[in-house]
Amino acid sequence: MSITRRAFIVIGAGASLSACAAIGGLSTAVPGGATTPQQLNAASILAAVNAARRSNGGHPPLGYNVALEAAARSQANLMASKDQLAHDLGVTLRERVTAAGYLGAVGENIAGGQQTLEQAIDGWLNSPGHRSTLLSDKFTEFGLAVTRVAAGRKSRYGIYWCFIAGGSFDAWRRG
């Protein structure tokens, strides 16, 4: 069955939005460690995400993509500037990834308030829609960003995370 890009984006956005509230009861294995935003680098991010994928079903590793990181950074910065946790704050996921130069299929996870990468991953693993994005074998690469709200500014969450997974539209057409 063929799926159009527009239908995929609409379906993906609905699944992402429905997954924003964490639901307990899922079995998760979160990588050890406490990687703070100051300690993040491409190697530590790649290791933590791929450890979570490996520990939760033996999923193949994802590669890191700087265009997806740029789109994730754009969203994390926007959420921090507006102090709102939302997938669409006037700029859609498709608009952000296209502006960053990425034209493949994408899925997005966001989080707010977690102080470490491992806490953000744990939250995503405990939310069915976010878990599906993080562990999907249809995605082959990802980018991740985190932004703190400016010091001295009142904030609901204080810190915002964005993970964007990407891959070929062909993987979604095959079912």
Side-chain angles (χ1 to χ4, degrees):
M1 176 171 93
S2 177
I3 186 166
T4 66
R5 288 181 185 194
R6 177 170 287 191
F8 174 77
I9 292 167
V10 170
I11 291 166
S16 294
L17 288 173
S18 68
C20 286
I23 298 172
L26 294 177
S27 175
T28 63
V30 180
T35 312
T36 65
Q38 298 83 354
Q39 298 168 321
L40 289 178
N41 57 47
S44 65
I45 293 167
L46 200 58
V49 167
N50 285 326
R53 289 174 57 81
R54 189 172 45 256
S55 298
N56 289 278
H59 299 279
L62 298 176
Y64 200 78
N65 183 290
V66 294
L68 291 174
E69 177 188 344
R73 183 158 318 289
S74 172
Q75 180 64 7
N77 288 342
L78 185 58
M79 290 188 297
S81 72
K82 295 186 177 225
D83 197 28
Q84 292 181 30
L85 185 64
H87 289 278
D88 186 346
L89 292 170
V91 182
T92 67
L93 172 58
R94 176 51 48 198
E95 289 169 335
R96 284 185 275 114
V97 298
T98 300
Y102 194 85
L103 302 177
V106 293
E108 176 178 74
N109 288 351
I110 59 174
Q114 294 81 0
Q115 297 301 306
T116 68
L117 175 57
E118 292 78 11
Q119 289 172 351
I121 290 171
D122 183 52
W124 295 328
L125 288 171
N126 280 293
S127 166
H130 291 114
R131 180 185 182 91
S132 176
T133 299
L134 182 64
L135 301 180
S136 175
D137 291 339
K138 292 180 180 182
F139 292 126
T140 58
E141 55 195 352
F142 76 98
L144 182 137
V146 58
T147 302
R148 288 191 180 277
V149 172
R153 207 174 123 218
K154 281 195 133 190
S155 172
R156 181 173 177 188
Y157 296 103
I159 188 168
Y160 291 89
W161 300 84
C162 183
F163 167 93
I164 301 177
S168 169
F169 280 108
D170 290 339
W172 296 92
R173 288 186 186 107
R174 287 187 284 252

